[in-house]
Amino acid sequence: KLKFYLHVMGEDEGCSIHYGKFDNLDLDQPGCYGLAAEAMTNYMYRLSMTLLPHRSEASDFRYVDLGSGSGASAIYLAEKHAQTISETTIVNICHEQNITARDRAAERNLTDRINIVEASFDDTPCPSNYFDLTFSQDAFIHSVTKRKTYAEAYRITKPGGAFVFCDLMCGDNPDLTVLELAQFAEKNRINDWLNPSQIVKTCTDVGWSNATFVDLTTDLRISFQLMLKKVTFVLEHGDTGSNVNRVLLMNYRDSICRRITQIDRGVFKWGVVQCRKPVGMDIVCKPPVPFKKTNHLIMDELDRKKSKEMGKELVVETNIVVVDILSKMNKEKINALPSTVELLITMSAGLDHIDMEACKALGIVVKQSGREAITSHVVQYTLSFLILGLRDALNQLGVPFPSSGWNLNWNCEGKPLASSSTTVAIVGMGVIAKRLVEEIRKIAPDTRIIYNVPPTMRDLDAENKFAVEYVADLVDLASQCDVLLPLCPLTRHTEHLIGKDVISNLQPHAGLINMSRGKVVDTDALTDALENKSIKYAILDTTFPEPLPEDHRLWNVENCFIFPHYATNTYAVREALVAEIQPIIEDHYGLGHSDERRKAEEKALRYDLAIAHRLTAKYGMDMLVWNHISARFRTGCLITPGRKMWNKMMPEDLVYSSTNVTADVIHDAIYTARPDIKAIIHLHTPAATAISCLEEGFVPITQDSAYFYGKVATYDWDGLSDDASEGPQIAAAVKAVEGCNTLLMHNHGYVCFGASVREAWILAYYFERCCEVQLRVMQSGGKLRRPPKAVMQKAMETSYLPEFAPGVCEWEALCDEISFD
């Protein structure tokens, strides 16, 4: 068969001989059949990635090709997606083909990334729950039983992983007799000859979810027509050699003619089946509100019970365990979890009830539901106590109005929050602490806020953004403040962190508000300080022990206000704790790519892209309907549609694939070269294009050009970029300058790219401006003064500080300039 493709079809040795997809291919071009087979492999891989969007940028992706033959498709994908696919496994039973595959892998230096396993695809030695993607092309027609084959694929695929395969299938034309279909199967030695509906049902029966069939029979007919055309040409004009070869080719021709007729009569079909492996979830505590599951790729205990009753062969194992704060997950309990557990979700703000080291040792990811609701509630609650504590308001409970009447000198010892003389000290700078600081700054911009964390956890971004001061010594921190707020997690390092040494250094007018776990504060030391009135008050939402014994002396201290761990006690938080379980699972396994959050993400991305297009037109940087801007989304990108003026661009106009081939080539090449890049803009602005025509190219000579110092790569343009083979050259140019943000394409234009649409656009704006300045300096005829390298290096580093990074200061103001009304 391989010799037939090499000699008759004119294909190169090493090409894929699978049936192909012929979209936009010239059937007369040399190697068309191999190009179509390659296109089919790409089509199936893209299809796979739409099922696994959360893994599209992974660097540890595992892929197995069942019945891979000589490994052409597997080797092609491993080479093309080297940054994503870390491990490729070829499972094939033919020894000679495996030798060929091994040699091809060695030729491409892929031996360390490709495993070749000599085995049947329905009984592999591969480990269970291992591969992100199980893949096959035109192999399962040879399986003895489809059920066993699909069950084996299920076994070796990870929970949430994908199974994508193409194959010849029995036709479902109702006019065909059972006898005729059976005779075809017998003549072609096909076992278990199933039609697409039966194959989808069999996949579902063995446990797969969302099984669907994509009919590509039209492409199969083109494949056979191309074969017929090639064979006929060789018979009529070529050198067939011996009579035996000629007879063989004539038999091929007759067989191909029969195949085309059978396709037209619906005897068989060809296409792709795609499905996902569901994940199993156990909620081992009683949820505060009922859990409502709407994603059938998540199977709970009830689903699995129903599955078993329906006679499905495979019971979904437990992959996710959901607990609450009362579920004490110590090392013993963690180790006793099923080996298939990968994700532990806790309905709580804290993690002190979970042995995180034990989870880490087993590779179990721990996530918290309701984080935003918890954060919001704790911050509001803490802010109210902060104001009440500083004002000494709680000590006024029960104080009668003075009998002599109110006067200006009565009871005015409290301090306002919004005062430059007030100092708030925070222990910790996590999510809740940062949100609290943000809220304080809204009403008290001049208040002094100091904080303490271990030196390795110091948060320079928070210090710059919120004008917060870092104090390295905790005792020193306590001595400077009016109120001390522990907001750190409880770990073995933070037990009794607020001990006698810290509390004794609080000033007599200072208070303590504890919103972290009770054990963070030394209860005895605090009680002593309050009884001795060496501090003014304490507000405790948590205590240790919890609850406090009825006879504990802290209950009798007048200036101590104890609340029943009440910060998150609202129905809204309870609902959020349960409602966010499903989105967490969907994000972790990529099951929710059509959920509301992903829609919101796409909406925001479309908005930014539309703004960027209109800004380009507003500032005279556009070129009618040409050029293009894109942003990564899912497994591809949203990009300029073409044939639309940029000043009219709307969010809904952005498309997943441009009508401009040049756009697809350039953007795909840069995204492939730089996985960290999220947005790209390609322009032909006058100044930058002029600079691209100069031998010396771009020269950073001004403060504004610091963004581009050492960050401009170049590419020698060699004509219209409409050839996919140019992609690797563009990618190589981008990789040649580490950390570059701009590609100057000689005699063409330029490309800027960054971590967001706003960053890419701002860079493009400043690059054009810098090029214009460079041209004006050249036009002046004066002697050029270049800034010292050390100055430019320092300016570049400063330009990328968080408060000056591209787009941080400008984007919101620019957005105000654009209206979609």
Side-chain angles (χ1 to χ4, degrees):
K1 185 177 180 180
L2 185 58
K3 289 180 179 178
F4 167 77
Y5 285 102
L6 292 175
H7 179 66
V8 179
M9 301 302 292
E11 301 297 335
D12 295 329
E13 188 172 358
C15 76
S16 172
I17 60 172
H18 295 295
Y19 298 124
K21 208 165 187 312
F22 290 87
D23 298 346
N24 303 317
L25 283 179
D26 180 359
L27 299 183
D28 293 323
Q29 66 178 306
C32 177
Y33 195 91
L35 290 172
E38 186 178 284
M40 181 62 184
T41 301
N42 284 326
Y43 169 79
M44 290 179 63
Y45 186 79
R46 286 196 303 270
L47 204 60
S48 305
M49 290 299 100
T50 62
L51 299 178
L52 304 171
H54 66 305
R55 300 290 288 156
S56 61
E57 297 178 22
S59 58
D60 58 349
F61 191 88
R62 293 182 184 141
Y63 147 77
V64 61
D65 191 331
L66 299 180
S68 185
S70 56
S73 294
I75 291 169
Y76 168 76
L77 289 176
E79 193 169 30
K80 181 174 182 180
H81 301 284
Q83 291 183 322
T84 300
I85 301 176
S86 63
E87 183 179 335
T88 297
T89 298
I90 291 172
V91 176
N92 194 59
I93 201 167
C94 177
H95 181 68
E96 289 75 17
Q97 288 180 328
N98 290 339
I99 291 174
T100 302
R102 193 169 286 109
D103 291 342
R104 289 176 178 170
E107 288 171 5
R108 291 163 174 77
N109 297 316
L110 296 173
T111 304
D112 60 331
R113 291 179 42 234
I114 294 183
N115 306 315
I116 299 174
V117 178
E118 197 158 302
S120 171
F121 49 60
D122 57 11
D123 186 18
T124 77
C126 300
S128 300
N129 303 313
Y130 190 74
F131 296 103
D132 294 279
L133 171 62
T134 299
F135 188 93
S136 182
Q137 284 184 264
D138 307 321
F140 294 157
I141 190 174
H142 305 299
S143 65
V144 177
T145 66
K146 299 294 191 297
R147 182 179 291 270
K148 184 178 180 182
T149 299
Y150 304 157
E152 177 65 3
Y154 184 97
R155 181 187 70 80
I156 65 178
T157 304
K158 283 182 180 180
F163 180 34
V164 178
F165 64 92
C166 66
D167 212 2
L168 281 174
M169 305 172 193
C170 181
D172 50 12
N173 183 354
D175 295 333
L176 295 173
T177 65
V178 175
L179 178 62
E180 184 176 1
L181 293 173
Q183 287 175 339
F184 177 87
E186 182 179 357
K187 184 174 182 180
N188 291 278
R189 300 178 182 178
I190 300 172
N191 296 297
D192 208 11
W193 186 227
L194 304 180
N195 65 37
S197 297
Q198 292 169 327
I199 285 176
V200 166
K201 182 179 183 302
T202 304
C203 286
T204 304
D205 287 345
V206 301
W208 293 104
S209 291
N210 290 9
T212 56
F213 170 69
V214 181
D215 192 345
L216 298 175
T217 309
T218 301
D219 286 285
L220 180 67
R221 192 180 195 283
I222 295 172
S223 291
F224 283 125
Q225 286 177 316
L226 186 58
M227 290 184 203
L228 180 61
K229 182 178 180 180
K230 295 281 188 179
V231 171
T232 301
F233 180 84
V234 172
L235 283 170
E236 293 179 357
H237 305 287
D239 179 12
T240 60
S242 67
N243 286 333
V244 174
N245 285 345
R246 184 169 184 82
V247 171
L248 182 62
L249 285 174
M250 291 174 68
N251 288 337
Y252 262 127
R253 180 191 60 192
D254 296 343
S255 176
I256 293 168
C257 288
R258 284 195 299 274
R259 291 286 180 268
I260 293 172
T261 301
Q262 288 163 343
I263 289 173
D264 293 340
R265 296 187 62 247
V267 174
F268 56 86
K269 285 191 168 185
W270 181 68
V272 176
V273 174
Q274 55 179 339
C275 40
R276 295 288 299 275
K277 184 172 181 176
V279 297
M281 175 193 69
D282 280 346
I283 301 180
V284 299
C285 59
K286 185 179 179 179
V289 298
F291 174 68
K292 298 177 181 178
K293 181 175 69 69
T294 59
N295 191 323
H296 59 276
L297 282 169
I298 303 169
M299 299 189 74
D300 56 19
E301 189 175 349
L302 183 60
D303 292 323
R304 283 177 278 179
K305 184 178 178 181
K306 289 179 180 177
S307 176
K308 194 171 183 179
E309 290 172 352
M310 291 170 61
K312 291 189 176 181
E313 293 181 7
L314 298 177
V315 176
V316 178
E317 299 161 318
T318 300
N319 311 119
I320 307 118
V321 172
V322 181
V323 301
D324 62 12
I325 193 69
L326 299 177
S327 308
K328 302 302 180 185
M329 303 300 292
N330 56 28
K331 184 176 181 179
E332 184 180 356
K333 286 189 176 180
I334 295 293
N335 289 337
L337 291 172
S339 61
T340 52
V341 172
E342 303 173 327
L343 177 63
L344 181 65
I345 300 174
T346 177
M347 295 183 286
S348 65
L351 295 170
D352 47 291
H353 59 300
I354 299 173
D355 190 324
M356 297 297 290
E357 291 297 325
C359 289
K360 184 178 180 180
L362 294 175
I364 296 174
V365 176
V366 179
K367 294 191 176 181
Q368 298 157 280
S369 65
R371 286 291 291 164
E372 174 56 33
I374 289 170
T375 298
S376 175
H377 279 64
V378 172
V379 166
Q380 293 172 29
Y381 191 69
T382 305
L383 186 60
S384 66
F385 282 142
L386 181 59
I387 294 170
L388 291 171
L390 285 167
R391 290 290 307 276
D392 196 30
L394 293 177
N395 276 318
Q396 310 311 311
L397 290 171
V399 174
F401 193 82
S403 57
S404 59
W406 186 87
N407 64 78
L408 290 174
N409 297 314
W410 174 70
N411 208 353
C412 56
E413 296 179 1
K415 295 187 72 172
L417 173 62
S419 170
S420 58
S421 66
T422 299
T423 300
V424 176
I426 298 173
V427 180
M429 194 47 69
V431 174
I432 291 175
K434 275 190 270 197
R435 184 75 68 83
L436 176 63
V437 170
E438 184 177 3
E439 293 303 313
I440 291 172
R441 282 289 176 244
K442 290 177 181 178
I443 58 176
D446 298 324
T447 297
R448 184 176 180 231
I449 303 175
I450 57 179
Y451 80 107
N452 171 269
V453 292
T456 56
M457 299 175 67
R458 183 174 176 180
D459 194 330
L460 296 175
D461 287 346
E463 291 176 32
N464 291 323
K465 186 174 183 180
F466 300 118
V468 180
E469 300 174 33
Y470 176 67
V471 179
D473 183 74
L474 186 55
V475 171
D476 185 21
L477 181 92
S479 69
Q480 298 184 45
C481 71
D482 296 299
V483 59
L484 181 65
L485 276 165
L487 286 172
C488 55
L490 176 61
T491 68
R492 67 176 184 272
H493 303 295
T494 60
E495 282 188 21
H496 292 170
L497 180 66
I498 311 301
K500 184 177 180 179
D501 58 335
V502 175
I503 295 172
S504 63
N505 276 277
L506 287 168
Q507 299 177 64
H509 71 273
L512 183 146
I513 302 174
N514 188 23
M515 291 294 156
S516 57
R517 292 286 187 248
K519 207 172 184 179
V520 170
V521 177
D522 184 332
T523 303
D524 291 339
L526 176 63
T527 305
D528 291 341
L530 288 167
E531 287 180 336
N532 297 333
K533 298 192 183 301
S534 58
I535 65 172
K536 190 168 187 178
Y537 65 89
I539 301 173
L540 309 175
D541 192 54
T542 59
T543 61
F544 181 78
E546 193 174 62
L548 276 176
E550 290 183 8
D551 60 349
H552 198 285
R553 56 196 176 109
L554 202 56
W555 288 113
N556 299 315
V557 178
E558 291 182 1
N559 53 343
C560 182
F561 307 94
I562 303 174
F563 290 81
H565 207 143
Y566 197 67
T568 60
N569 277 26
T570 69
Y571 192 74
V573 169
R574 301 295 184 263
E575 283 186 319
L577 289 173
V578 177
E580 289 187 17
I581 292 172
Q582 179 168 308
I584 287 173
I585 297 171
E586 289 175 335
D587 282 352
H588 186 78
Y589 289 102
L591 308 181
H593 49 272
S594 60
D595 66 14
E596 292 304 315
R597 285 198 291 175
R598 193 166 289 273
K599 289 178 182 177
E601 179 188 345
E602 179 176 354
K603 182 178 179 180
L605 207 54
R606 286 181 175 275
Y607 175 81
D608 275 357
L609 283 168
I611 288 285
H613 281 85
R614 291 198 175 206
L615 286 172
T616 306
K618 180 180 177 67
Y619 287 92
M621 297 162 62
D622 60 331
M623 196 173 77
L624 301 179
V625 300
W626 303 104
N627 301 160
H628 20 86
I629 311 175
S630 74
R632 274 193 202 265
F633 186 67
R634 298 182 185 175
T635 57
C637 65
L638 287 167
I639 195 168
T640 309
R643 300 180 182 179
K644 188 175 182 74
M645 298 297 287
W646 285 30
N647 65 335
K648 302 292 184 183
M649 198 70 69
M650 298 292 288
E652 59 268 25
D653 292 329
L654 283 307
V655 295
Y656 290 109
S657 179
S658 175
T659 57
N660 186 332
V661 177
T662 302
D664 290 337
V665 171
I666 294 173
H667 291 243
D668 182 64
I670 295 174
Y671 285 132
T672 299
R674 291 278 300 278
D676 60 308
I677 293 303
K678 306 299 182 187
I680 297 170
I681 177 168
H682 173 53
L683 299 174
H684 296 171
T685 52
T689 303
I691 292 295
S692 78
C693 298
L694 297 176
E695 186 68 32
E696 189 175 16
F698 175 73
V699 182
I701 53 175
T702 64
Q703 175 180 302
D704 293 341
S705 65
Y707 277 140
F708 310 101
Y709 183 73
K711 292 182 177 293
V712 179
T714 58
Y715 175 70
D716 290 328
W717 179 67
D718 58 359
L720 191 63
S721 300
D722 60 356
D723 185 350
S725 64
E726 194 175 355
Q729 300 170 39
I730 295 173
V734 171
K735 289 180 180 179
V737 179
E738 185 177 358
C740 66
N741 58 27
T742 303
L743 179 67
L744 185 65
M745 307 179 82
H746 289 309
N747 307 96
H748 181 176
Y750 71 109
V751 186
C752 284
F753 31 88
S756 63
V757 173
R758 64 181 64 188
E759 180 178 334
W761 192 88
I762 292 296
L763 286 171
Y765 171 83
Y766 283 122
F767 189 76
E768 168 65 8
R769 182 180 177 87
C770 292
C771 288
E772 186 176 342
V773 171
Q774 182 180 339
L775 289 173
R776 290 192 180 188
V777 170
M778 294 171 66
Q779 290 169 351
S780 72
K783 186 177 180 180
L784 176 63
R785 177 190 172 98
R786 294 180 186 246
K789 291 182 179 180
V791 171
M792 288 304 297
Q793 179 66 30
K794 185 176 181 180
M796 183 273 289
E797 293 169 359
T798 304
S799 296
Y800 282 91
L801 288 174
E803 63 267 38
F804 298 123
V808 170
C809 301
E810 306 96 336
W811 189 253
E812 289 185 12
L814 286 167
C815 289
D816 289 341
E817 297 289 307
I818 302 299
S819 172
F820 293 112
D821 296 335

